[in-house]
PDB file of all heavy atoms in Angstrom:
ATOM      1  N   GLU A 178      -0.211  19.008  29.238  1.00 96.00           N
ATOM      2  CA  GLU A 178      -0.423  17.871  30.156  1.00 96.00           C
ATOM      3  C   GLU A 178      -1.437  18.305  31.205  1.00 96.00           C
ATOM      4  O   GLU A 178      -1.234  19.263  31.922  1.00 96.00           O
ATOM      5  CB  GLU A 178       0.902  17.490  30.798  1.00 96.00           C
ATOM      6  CG  GLU A 178       0.825  16.392  31.813  1.00 96.00           C
ATOM      7  CD  GLU A 178       2.137  16.217  32.557  1.00 96.00           C
ATOM      8  OE1 GLU A 178       3.155  16.773  32.124  1.00 96.00           O
ATOM      9  OE2 GLU A 178       2.132  15.524  33.629  1.00 96.00           O
ATOM     10  N   THR A 179      -2.549  17.544  31.294  1.00 95.00           N
ATOM     11  CA  THR A 179      -3.623  17.895  32.229  1.00 95.00           C
ATOM     12  C   THR A 179      -3.882  16.774  33.254  1.00 95.00           C
ATOM     13  O   THR A 179      -3.916  15.576  32.830  1.00 95.00           O
ATOM     14  CB  THR A 179      -4.914  18.280  31.511  1.00 95.00           C
ATOM     15  OG1 THR A 179      -5.312  17.183  30.709  1.00 95.00           O
ATOM     16  CG2 THR A 179      -4.681  19.510  30.679  1.00 95.00           C
ATOM     17  N   HIS A 180      -4.135  17.135  34.472  1.00 96.00           N
ATOM     18  CA  HIS A 180      -4.527  16.228  35.531  1.00 96.00           C
ATOM     19  C   HIS A 180      -5.715  16.862  36.233  1.00 96.00           C
ATOM     20  O   HIS A 180      -5.552  17.555  37.218  1.00 96.00           O
ATOM     21  CB  HIS A 180      -3.397  16.031  36.546  1.00 96.00           C
ATOM     22  CG  HIS A 180      -2.147  15.492  35.924  1.00 96.00           C
ATOM     23  ND1 HIS A 180      -1.778  14.131  35.968  1.00 96.00           N
ATOM     24  CD2 HIS A 180      -1.129  16.104  35.233  1.00 96.00           C
ATOM     25  CE1 HIS A 180      -0.662  13.967  35.399  1.00 96.00           C
ATOM     26  NE2 HIS A 180      -0.224  15.150  34.903  1.00 96.00           N
ATOM     27  N   HIS A 181      -6.890  16.693  35.626  1.00 91.00           N
ATOM     28  CA  HIS A 181      -8.143  17.252  36.145  1.00 91.00           C
ATOM     29  C   HIS A 181      -9.033  16.106  36.586  1.00 91.00           C
ATOM     30  O   HIS A 181      -9.463  15.305  35.769  1.00 91.00           O
ATOM     31  CB  HIS A 181      -8.874  18.127  35.117  1.00 91.00           C
ATOM     32  CG  HIS A 181      -8.072  19.289  34.672  1.00 91.00           C
ATOM     33  ND1 HIS A 181      -8.493  20.085  33.622  1.00 91.00           N
ATOM     34  CD2 HIS A 181      -6.915  19.859  35.124  1.00 91.00           C
ATOM     35  CE1 HIS A 181      -7.579  21.075  33.466  1.00 91.00           C
ATOM     36  NE2 HIS A 181      -6.653  20.932  34.370  1.00 91.00           N
ATOM     37  N   GLN A 193      -1.414   9.901  44.985  1.00 97.00           N
ATOM     38  CA  GLN A 193      -0.757   9.730  43.709  1.00 97.00           C
ATOM     39  C   GLN A 193       0.693  10.286  43.846  1.00 97.00           C
ATOM     40  O   GLN A 193       0.926  11.444  44.158  1.00 97.00           O
ATOM     41  CB  GLN A 193      -1.512  10.527  42.624  1.00 97.00           C
ATOM     42  CG  GLN A 193      -0.915  10.360  41.232  1.00 97.00           C
ATOM     43  CD  GLN A 193      -1.602  11.221  40.201  1.00 97.00           C
ATOM     44  OE1 GLN A 193      -1.365  12.391  40.075  1.00 97.00           O
ATOM     45  NE2 GLN A 193      -2.584  10.577  39.526  1.00 97.00           N
ATOM     46  N   ARG A 211       1.431  22.561  31.989  1.00 97.00           N
ATOM     47  CA  ARG A 211       0.874  21.551  32.917  1.00 97.00           C
ATOM     48  C   ARG A 211      -0.237  22.202  33.732  1.00 97.00           C
ATOM     49  O   ARG A 211      -0.035  23.277  34.312  1.00 97.00           O
ATOM     50  CB  ARG A 211       1.973  21.017  33.846  1.00 97.00           C
ATOM     51  CG  ARG A 211       3.173  20.408  33.136  1.00 97.00           C
ATOM     52  CD  ARG A 211       4.136  19.762  34.083  1.00 97.00           C
ATOM     53  NE  ARG A 211       3.587  18.540  34.682  1.00 97.00           N
ATOM     54  CZ  ARG A 211       3.344  18.386  35.952  1.00 97.00           C
ATOM     55  NH1 ARG A 211       3.537  19.356  36.816  1.00 97.00           N
ATOM     56  NH2 ARG A 211       2.847  17.237  36.371  1.00 97.00           N
ATOM     57  N   SER A 212      -1.370  21.538  33.792  1.00 96.00           N
ATOM     58  CA  SER A 212      -2.492  21.941  34.641  1.00 96.00           C
ATOM     59  C   SER A 212      -2.860  20.790  35.531  1.00 96.00           C
ATOM     60  O   SER A 212      -3.266  19.698  35.108  1.00 96.00           O
ATOM     61  CB  SER A 212      -3.682  22.393  33.796  1.00 96.00           C
ATOM     62  OG  SER A 212      -4.733  22.774  34.590  1.00 96.00           O
ATOM     63  N   VAL A 213      -2.729  20.997  36.867  1.00 97.00           N
ATOM     64  CA  VAL A 213      -2.935  19.923  37.870  1.00 97.00           C
ATOM     65  C   VAL A 213      -4.006  20.440  38.849  1.00 97.00           C
ATOM     66  O   VAL A 213      -3.721  21.329  39.642  1.00 97.00           O
ATOM     67  CB  VAL A 213      -1.639  19.554  38.552  1.00 97.00           C
ATOM     68  CG1 VAL A 213      -1.891  18.354  39.450  1.00 97.00           C
ATOM     69  CG2 VAL A 213      -0.557  19.254  37.553  1.00 97.00           C
ATOM     70  N   GLN A 214      -5.166  19.846  38.819  1.00 95.00           N
ATOM     71  CA  GLN A 214      -6.284  20.259  39.728  1.00 95.00           C
ATOM     72  C   GLN A 214      -6.846  19.028  40.380  1.00 95.00           C
ATOM     73  O   GLN A 214      -7.819  18.460  39.943  1.00 95.00           O
ATOM     74  CB  GLN A 214      -7.340  20.992  38.868  1.00 95.00           C
ATOM     75  CG  GLN A 214      -6.804  22.240  38.209  1.00 95.00           C
ATOM     76  CD  GLN A 214      -7.875  23.004  37.407  1.00 95.00           C
ATOM     77  OE1 GLN A 214      -9.031  22.881  37.687  1.00 95.00           O
ATOM     78  NE2 GLN A 214      -7.431  23.736  36.400  1.00 95.00           N
ATOM     79  N   PRO A 215      -6.213  18.619  41.509  1.00 95.00           N
ATOM     80  CA  PRO A 215      -6.676  17.445  42.214  1.00 95.00           C
ATOM     81  C   PRO A 215      -7.983  17.677  42.960  1.00 95.00           C
ATOM     82  O   PRO A 215      -8.394  18.815  43.166  1.00 95.00           O
ATOM     83  CB  PRO A 215      -5.535  17.095  43.154  1.00 95.00           C
ATOM     84  CG  PRO A 215      -4.871  18.407  43.435  1.00 95.00           C
ATOM     85  CD  PRO A 215      -5.076  19.224  42.121  1.00 95.00           C
ATOM     86  N   VAL A 221      -1.280  14.398  46.610  1.00 98.00           N
ATOM     87  CA  VAL A 221      -0.593  14.311  45.319  1.00 98.00           C
ATOM     88  C   VAL A 221       0.824  14.776  45.408  1.00 98.00           C
ATOM     89  O   VAL A 221       1.127  15.802  46.062  1.00 98.00           O
ATOM     90  CB  VAL A 221      -1.370  15.162  44.289  1.00 98.00           C
ATOM     91  CG1 VAL A 221      -0.669  15.189  42.949  1.00 98.00           C
ATOM     92  CG2 VAL A 221      -2.775  14.590  44.094  1.00 98.00           C
ATOM     93  N   HIS A 223       3.945  15.208  42.489  1.00 98.00           N
ATOM     94  CA  HIS A 223       4.468  15.055  41.169  1.00 98.00           C
ATOM     95  C   HIS A 223       5.929  15.449  41.129  1.00 98.00           C
ATOM     96  O   HIS A 223       6.353  16.563  41.599  1.00 98.00           O
ATOM     97  CB  HIS A 223       3.716  15.940  40.165  1.00 98.00           C
ATOM     98  CG  HIS A 223       2.278  15.459  39.901  1.00 98.00           C
ATOM     99  ND1 HIS A 223       1.493  16.052  38.924  1.00 98.00           N
ATOM    100  CD2 HIS A 223       1.573  14.446  40.433  1.00 98.00           C
ATOM    101  CE1 HIS A 223       0.346  15.404  38.914  1.00 98.00           C
ATOM    102  NE2 HIS A 223       0.331  14.440  39.787  1.00 98.00           N
ATOM    103  N   LEU A 239       3.018  26.158  34.757  1.00 97.00           N
ATOM    104  CA  LEU A 239       2.303  25.290  35.639  1.00 97.00           C
ATOM    105  C   LEU A 239       1.088  26.038  36.229  1.00 97.00           C
ATOM    106  O   LEU A 239       1.242  27.172  36.718  1.00 97.00           O
ATOM    107  CB  LEU A 239       3.195  24.784  36.756  1.00 97.00           C
ATOM    108  CG  LEU A 239       2.470  24.049  37.916  1.00 97.00           C
ATOM    109  CD1 LEU A 239       1.926  22.730  37.464  1.00 97.00           C
ATOM    110  CD2 LEU A 239       3.432  23.866  39.078  1.00 97.00           C
ATOM    111  N   ILE A 240      -0.069  25.429  36.192  1.00 97.00           N
ATOM    112  CA  ILE A 240      -1.236  25.937  36.886  1.00 97.00           C
ATOM    113  C   ILE A 240      -1.647  24.793  37.892  1.00 97.00           C
ATOM    114  O   ILE A 240      -2.002  23.684  37.468  1.00 97.00           O
ATOM    115  CB  ILE A 240      -2.449  26.223  35.936  1.00 97.00           C
ATOM    116  CG1 ILE A 240      -2.007  27.239  34.876  1.00 97.00           C
ATOM    117  CG2 ILE A 240      -3.633  26.722  36.708  1.00 97.00           C
ATOM    118  CD1 ILE A 240      -3.018  27.390  33.785  1.00 97.00           C
ATOM    119  N   ALA A 241      -1.572  25.042  39.171  1.00 97.00           N
ATOM    120  CA  ALA A 241      -1.824  24.051  40.188  1.00 97.00           C
ATOM    121  C   ALA A 241      -2.735  24.597  41.244  1.00 97.00           C
ATOM    122  O   ALA A 241      -2.620  25.714  41.675  1.00 97.00           O
ATOM    123  CB  ALA A 241      -0.505  23.566  40.813  1.00 97.00           C
ATOM    124  N   THR A 242      -3.677  23.719  41.764  1.00 97.00           N
ATOM    125  CA  THR A 242      -4.551  24.079  42.814  1.00 97.00           C
ATOM    126  C   THR A 242      -4.278  23.197  44.042  1.00 97.00           C
ATOM    127  O   THR A 242      -3.724  22.118  43.902  1.00 97.00           O
ATOM    128  CB  THR A 242      -6.024  23.932  42.388  1.00 97.00           C
ATOM    129  OG1 THR A 242      -6.261  22.576  41.989  1.00 97.00           O
ATOM    130  CG2 THR A 242      -6.315  24.842  41.219  1.00 97.00           C
ATOM    131  N   GLY A 243      -4.679  23.663  45.189  1.00 97.00           N
ATOM    132  CA  GLY A 243      -4.387  22.982  46.465  1.00 97.00           C
ATOM    133  C   GLY A 243      -5.276  21.809  46.714  1.00 97.00           C
ATOM    134  O   GLY A 243      -6.321  21.610  46.079  1.00 97.00           O
ATOM    135  N   HIS A 247      -0.381  18.593  48.371  1.00 98.00           N
ATOM    136  CA  HIS A 247      -0.067  18.739  46.945  1.00 98.00           C
ATOM    137  C   HIS A 247       1.355  19.284  46.823  1.00 98.00           C
ATOM    138  O   HIS A 247       1.628  20.411  47.236  1.00 98.00           O
ATOM    139  CB  HIS A 247      -1.086  19.660  46.259  1.00 98.00           C
ATOM    140  CG  HIS A 247      -0.913  19.692  44.752  1.00 98.00           C
ATOM    141  ND1 HIS A 247      -1.786  20.371  43.917  1.00 98.00           N
ATOM    142  CD2 HIS A 247      -0.009  19.100  43.950  1.00 98.00           C
ATOM    143  CE1 HIS A 247      -1.434  20.209  42.667  1.00 98.00           C
ATOM    144  NE2 HIS A 247      -0.311  19.445  42.668  1.00 98.00           N
ATOM    145  N   GLN A 249       4.454  19.852  43.889  1.00 98.00           N
ATOM    146  CA  GLN A 249       4.928  19.906  42.555  1.00 98.00           C
ATOM    147  C   GLN A 249       6.438  20.153  42.645  1.00 98.00           C
ATOM    148  O   GLN A 249       6.853  21.219  43.024  1.00 98.00           O
ATOM    149  CB  GLN A 249       4.269  20.963  41.713  1.00 98.00           C
ATOM    150  CG  GLN A 249       2.819  20.689  41.374  1.00 98.00           C
ATOM    151  CD  GLN A 249       2.628  19.539  40.399  1.00 98.00           C
ATOM    152  OE1 GLN A 249       3.494  19.355  39.501  1.00 98.00           O
ATOM    153  NE2 GLN A 249       1.599  18.751  40.520  1.00 98.00           N
TER     154      GLN A 249
END
Side-chain angles (χ1 to χ4, degrees):
E178 177 189 346
T179 58
H180 302 260
H181 297 172
Q193 184 183 83
R211 304 184 70 244
S212 179
V213 186
Q214 301 180 26
V221 173
H223 288 187
L239 169 69
I240 303 171
T242 59
H247 188 175
Q249 288 292 325

